[in-house]
Amino acid sequence: MRVGVMIGPERGDSARKVDRMMKDIEWAESAGMDTAWIPQVPSDFDALITIALMGARTTNIELGTAVVPLQAQHPIALARQALSAHAASSGRLALGVGPSHHWIVQDMLGIPYEKPARLTRDYLDVLDQALHGPGPVDVENDSFTVHNPLELGPVAPLPVFLAALGPVMLRLAGERADGTILWMADERAIAEHIAPSINKAADGAGRPAPRIVAGVPVCLCRPSEVDEARSRANRILAEAEFSPNYQKLLERGDARDVGDLCVAGDEDAILARFRDFEKAGVTDISMRLLPIGDTRDELVASKYRTREVMAELAKELR
């Protein structure tokens, strides 16, 4: 199982965020992380531009978006940006995309959130052709009429991951993408719903077994601090779980909130939980490191302790 880490802009002065993220990606590569996943936060930095910058600071680590909302840009624009970032990172981009949620697309962007699965299928018609260039992109479907020359081509194979939670999207991910990127999916939801659905679809389409990337908060702490870690997860990461898409996914598992999903405890407890995800069918863990503490110094110390131990655990999981 691959082990990766989420690296995002988070809060703070924009002038300092780039330097912090560059230091984080340099650590991730030196620590032997397989992948760094860059979230596309609605209010913050562009994930693909961030990956282009990270590509100049690294040589081996895979760099993924988790995820770029499809409705925010035309598929040709996304393909052009992705191919540029892929070239800038010497062919190490993993492009994670998805139809997002109504509270982002409709409430924030003012774009209708209608039939997201159909839009995704139509979008992939254009994106797939564009990412396998160079050459003209000629697609006409219910959502797009595209006749666009494109001189860019991928410098190496460019995997595409689809954020898929429900049956229709999981079937589409298995048939058309290289895998799925998850959030709010615990071990039972993955073992009984996600993995069987996407693997069956990929097999039926004659495609290789898809990667299943599970995003999980991770906190290294004493057993007596596990409740504190879960409370912190619920306090700072709980916004998205109120989406109907995530609520339906939670109903398929044992977790009821992001605190339940949080992998918290000592080294043995974290390793055991990771093994459970692996048994459920997960091929990639994407860790959202969750430090705990009452002061900034305590939070920083917690972050660095967690990173050190996660680097060692990653070696055991390969």
Side-chain angles (χ1 to χ4, degrees):
M1 185 169 65
R2 300 176 183 87
V3 179
V5 61
M6 296 184 194
I7 298 177
E10 299 180 356
R11 297 178 180 177
D13 181 3
S14 295
R16 299 179 181 179
K17 291 181 183 182
V18 173
D19 183 60
R20 181 184 61 76
M21 287 191 290
M22 294 307 106
K23 289 178 179 177
D24 284 349
I25 192 61
E26 289 172 348
W27 165 80
E29 180 162 84
S30 67
M33 294 291 112
D34 295 292
T35 305
W37 296 100
I38 316 305
Q40 182 61 74
V41 182
S43 60
D44 223 306
F45 280 7
D46 183 271
L48 282 165
I49 290 177
T50 302
I51 283 175
L53 293 171
M54 289 179 171
R57 295 287 190 99
T58 56
T59 57
N60 298 311
I61 191 170
E62 184 180 45
L63 303 167
T65 58
V67 297
V68 177
L70 296 178
Q71 295 92 333
Q73 56 192 311
H74 192 280
I76 291 295
L78 177 57
R80 187 167 53 239
Q81 190 178 11
L83 289 166
S84 300
H86 193 48
S89 60
S90 303
R92 289 180 284 128
L93 172 64
L95 181 63
V97 299
S100 194
H101 305 275
H102 71 88
W103 52 274
I104 293 177
V105 176
Q106 182 172 302
D107 298 347
M108 293 184 185
L109 301 178
I111 300 172
Y113 190 72
E114 300 172 352
K115 298 182 178 179
R118 187 185 71 177
L119 173 67
T120 301
R121 187 179 297 276
D122 290 349
Y123 201 107
L124 288 175
D125 288 345
V126 183
L127 188 65
D128 288 348
Q129 197 174 126
L131 294 180
H132 287 83
V137 180
D138 293 299
V139 174
E140 294 187 12
N141 57 34
D142 291 339
S143 303
F144 300 99
T145 299
V146 177
H147 301 285
N148 190 90
L150 193 63
E151 296 183 2
L152 290 171
V155 298
L158 201 172
V160 175
F161 294 82
L162 188 59
L165 307 180
V168 176
M169 288 295 294
L170 284 166
R171 184 168 63 249
L172 184 57
E175 293 171 348
R176 301 284 299 275
D178 296 285
T180 186
I181 302 177
L182 307 171
W183 182 251
M184 299 304 299
D186 69 5
E187 298 93 320
R188 185 162 75 87
I190 293 168
E192 297 180 5
H193 168 57
I194 300 290
S197 298
I198 193 172
N199 285 322
K200 180 181 179 181
D203 184 62
R207 293 180 62 89
R211 287 166 63 180
I212 298 175
V213 185
V216 293
V218 176
C219 179
L220 177 70
C221 62
R222 301 181 185 91
S224 60
E225 296 173 319
V226 168
D227 287 343
E228 178 186 347
R230 289 176 176 164
S231 295
R232 178 168 168 77
N234 282 327
R235 190 167 63 253
I236 67 174
L237 299 175
E239 295 91 347
E241 75 187 43
F242 296 107
S243 165
N245 296 335
Y246 287 134
Q247 285 295 315
K248 291 176 183 177
L249 185 58
L250 285 169
E251 291 172 0
R252 293 183 178 273
D254 297 315
R256 289 296 167 261
D257 52 38
V258 71
D260 290 340
L261 186 68
C262 182
V263 177
D266 59 19
E267 183 175 353
D268 290 339
I270 291 173
L271 181 59
R273 189 85 186 272
F274 279 5
R275 291 293 189 197
D276 288 341
F277 275 101
E278 186 176 30
K279 291 174 185 176
V282 169
T283 64
D284 296 68
I285 284 283
S286 172
M287 301 182 295
R288 202 295 190 182
L289 300 183
L290 184 75
I292 58 172
D294 296 323
T295 66
R296 184 181 183 280
D297 288 344
E298 289 176 353
L299 289 169
V300 171
S302 175
K303 172 184 175 179
Y304 282 97
R305 284 197 305 272
T306 302
R307 292 204 317 188
E308 182 179 348
V309 169
M310 291 307 102
E312 293 302 314
L313 289 185
K315 297 174 185 177
E316 294 190 43
L317 289 163
R318 294 194 185 95

